[in-house]
Amino acid sequence: MTEQLAEREVGRSRTRKEDARLVTGRTTWTDNIALPGLLHMAILRSPMAHAAIGHVDVTPALERPGVIAAFSGRDLAGEMGSMPCVWPVTEDIVMPDHPAVAVGEVRYVGDPVAVVIARDRYAAADALEAVDVDYTPLPPVLDLEDALADGAPLVHGDKGTNRCYTWPLATGDYEAEKARADVVVHRRYTQQRLIPNAMEPRAVVATPPTASHEYTLYSSTQVPHIARVTLSMVTGIPEHRLRVVAPDVGGGFGSKLQVYGEEALALVLARRLGRPVKWTESRSEGYQATHHGRGQLQDIELAATRDGKVLGMRVDLLADMGAYLMLITPGTPLLGAFMYPGIYKMNAYTFNCTGVFTTKTPTDAYRGAGRPEATFAIERTMDELAAELGLDPMELRRRNWIGHDEFPYTSISGLTYDSGNYEAATDRALALFGYHDLRAEQRVRSERNDPVRLGIGISTYTEMCGLAPSRILRDLRYVAGGWEAAAIRMLPTGKVEVVTGTSPHGQGHATCWSQIAADALGVPFDDVEVVHGDTKAAPQGMDTYGSRSLVVGGVAVHQAAQKVVAKARKVAAHLLEANEADLEFSGGTFSVKGSPEATKTIQEVAFETFSSHDMPDGMEPTINAEHLVDPDNFSYPHGTHLCAVEVDTETGRARIRSYVCVDDVGKVINPMIVQGQIHGGLAQGIAQALFEEAVYDTEGNLVSGTMADYLVPSAPDLPSFVTDRTETPATSNPLGVKGVGEAGTIASTPAVVNAVVDALRPLGVSNVAMPCTPERIWQAVKKARAEEATA
């Protein structure tokens, strides 16, 4: 054991514990679960974006082979409440009812209309075609600005408006700063809708009550604890009789940070039929019914002096809610409200967000959740300001960012950034990228009018993550808190169980939490087992999203381990007949100062506690401990991303030639896992810049509804990334850690788009809408040349 503990675990690139089981197929995906008497559920979904439902006749489906039952929305309405939204962001927010199965009206293509239950999934799916539905078409509502116009068709006629809410934030006097500015840059950007593509589709298995009156819901979810509370309220099942299990979960990216109607339906049908019920979405079904991300119109204005000093910023945002409010739909765009100023100092900032209902799939959190949109806006507009002033875009950033000696720094939006060093990360990135050499090459290629232009894109970002401070969430009208729980159980054999309230879906929690516990307790890494994702085994937790797992959940593990050591110290002092103050603890061993031969390992203490033959008076026979963390602040990772893109002006093709990023995520638990998170985030951010877009036609049909139409990049579509790190420890938690799960996505999109525009700016192009497809780039070049010819 001494050899195993010679090297500290924290900071070590440990191969993930989870991987051997995953790659050898010894996994339990929700769709793998087979129970006696299992029935299968299939859902009939609306083919129309907006329509009144005259009748739904499920009787013909009941005549199909293998069908057990079939129900319309009216049949089930008495057994379920409205699906939950836990973030009513304003007092006067419009919150329409959201039935799990539509009653009276459908409001997006994919809205559930009826449900069929059969002995196998194929029989259930085949029987859907027998359900007879009478639709009366209603006008779709698709454009955000048109939706707010007088006389616009209404998504929810009983609400009298398509405006969901208007949420303002203002600090300083922006109009006064604008009045004294030498230059004001105004731009409009579109954040296209994105469709999450986790490796594992959504799936649910619900069991009827057992002899102990307990229901069990297995779900590919990021939020088993939140699902337990909300589904109890929706279905009427008492919370203490509902167990939610997230087994192996194959990715989420925010799409499984949700409580879906299919989960409620499975529970209600299991209760009604007395048999377990399973549902697994198809890919095309998921494209319609799993919530989408982004979907915004951004009007951005920067006011600045002639020498490049930013004075103030104005943001006006229209955010697409889709047809209904899901779990945190209204709050998702507001997560970015505090981040539009980014890393820059300014005197005034004003922000207004209007949520708008449309007849499209509801939106909600997608990797980054509001913060990629904010970073994109400020980083794109800083490039536009630099062009207006004739400054190098990096130089403009240097003139405005917060200096490393100014931390902690309260930003104009009201957040207190605890630590950072933007200079160090940027200098390292520039050196790795060869920035000045690339600028020189760019000038040469431009002078010779090379049809393949070189563009250089910059993104210097920070983000707020570790969504946690409950008092801040209270002020933002979020229903729940942001704390997290962990427990450490020292077993008599010396092994350790770490019970965590975070629920992983690919992040490597079992590995990192084992590293944290192993160091704190001085036990071997392989002797630590992490228990998660089951509300019965891990009854307390607030789950996984917003890059909160390490900075809240991991810190809870560390703090719980410190409590275990403190308890063990009392027992060890008693056994060694020494004062606690005279004990030293190192590498898992208690020793008496000055008497190195007098020792007790923490495992020995655990066994002595188990036997309880010789315990200190008044002490319980346990050294187990739990801890709940509710931090006082978010964490603020930062970094600099640089992208070189070659753009063929004759074909419109954009090829990423090189990509360098230097991120600062504070203290690193496992460098290999951090690098994996960065790589994955880069892929998704680049995908928004160049590939992905949910497209609707004029009737509200999703025309990018399959993987043949919606372009998800694969490895050959992406470059080799050069990644590095600087390390500025967080001061807001004892581990000094910051979040990393969303950083790559947040930073990369503007870096790529800035590079594309930078390549084309000499031709008169100042913007290309995302995704920057070859056609859009070609059209932008064509338009600029036509304008130049007529000037």
Side-chain angles (χ1 to χ4, degrees), residues 405-426:
D405 56 348
E406 297 180 84
F407 291 94
Y409 185 88
T410 300
S411 77
I412 191 65
S413 68
L415 297 177
T416 300
Y417 301 168
D418 64 318
S419 67
N421 191 329
Y422 309 139
E423 302 97 311
T426 300

Side-chain angles (χ1 to χ4, degrees), residues 415-419 462-464 633-638 738:
L415 297 177
T416 300
Y417 301 168
D418 64 318
S419 67
T462 188
E463 60 149 322
M464 53 179 276
N633 197 2
F634 302 102
S635 78
Y636 300 96
H638 68 83
K738 303 178 182 180

Side-chain angles (χ1 to χ4, degrees), residues 651-681:
T651 67
R653 181 174 182 263
R655 182 185 72 87
I656 297 178
R657 176 168 138 180
S658 61
Y659 196 103
V660 169
C661 62
V662 176
D663 296 280
D664 193 320
V665 297
K667 288 287 185 181
V668 171
I669 304 300
N670 187 314
M672 185 186 300
I673 288 177
V674 166
Q675 188 171 24
Q677 289 283 351
I678 293 292
H679 277 216

Side-chain angles (χ1 to χ4, degrees), residues 392-465:
D392 181 275
M394 184 60 80
E395 175 58 28
L396 177 66
R397 287 164 169 82
R398 288 186 186 277
R399 293 184 186 186
N400 286 281
W401 66 35
I402 303 158
H404 70 275
D405 56 348
E406 297 180 84
F407 291 94
Y409 185 88
T410 300
S411 77
I412 191 65
S413 68
L415 297 177
T416 300
Y417 301 168
D418 64 318
S419 67
N421 191 329
Y422 309 139
E423 302 97 311
T426 300
D427 289 345
R428 180 64 179 149
L430 291 172
L432 291 170
F433 190 63
Y435 182 81
H436 298 295
D437 290 342
L438 284 168
R439 283 292 185 203
E441 179 186 345
Q442 181 186 48
R443 286 191 293 272
V444 170
R445 291 171 72 160
S446 181
E447 288 166 0
R448 70 175 184 235
N449 201 26
D450 193 327
V452 179
R453 299 284 177 140
L454 177 64
I456 297 169
I458 300 168
S459 176
T460 49
Y461 81 100
T462 188
E463 60 149 322
M464 53 179 276
C465 63

Side-chain angles (χ1 to χ4, degrees), residues 591-622:
S591 60
V592 181
K593 295 177 183 177
S595 302
E597 72 285 351
T599 62
K600 285 286 182 184
T601 67
I602 198 167
Q603 293 98 328
E604 290 172 330
V605 171
F607 186 83
E608 293 285 355
T609 306
F610 166 72
S611 70
S612 299
H613 293 166
D614 189 11
M615 291 286 290
D617 292 341
M619 185 173 177
E620 293 179 323
T622 181

Side-chain angles (χ1 to χ4, degrees), residues 29 197-201 220 247-253 256 283 504-506:
W29 310 113
N197 280 274
M199 286 189 293
E200 179 204 20
S220 56
D248 293 315
V249 178
F253 312 122
K256 297 174 184 175
R283 283 290 178 187
H505 44 282

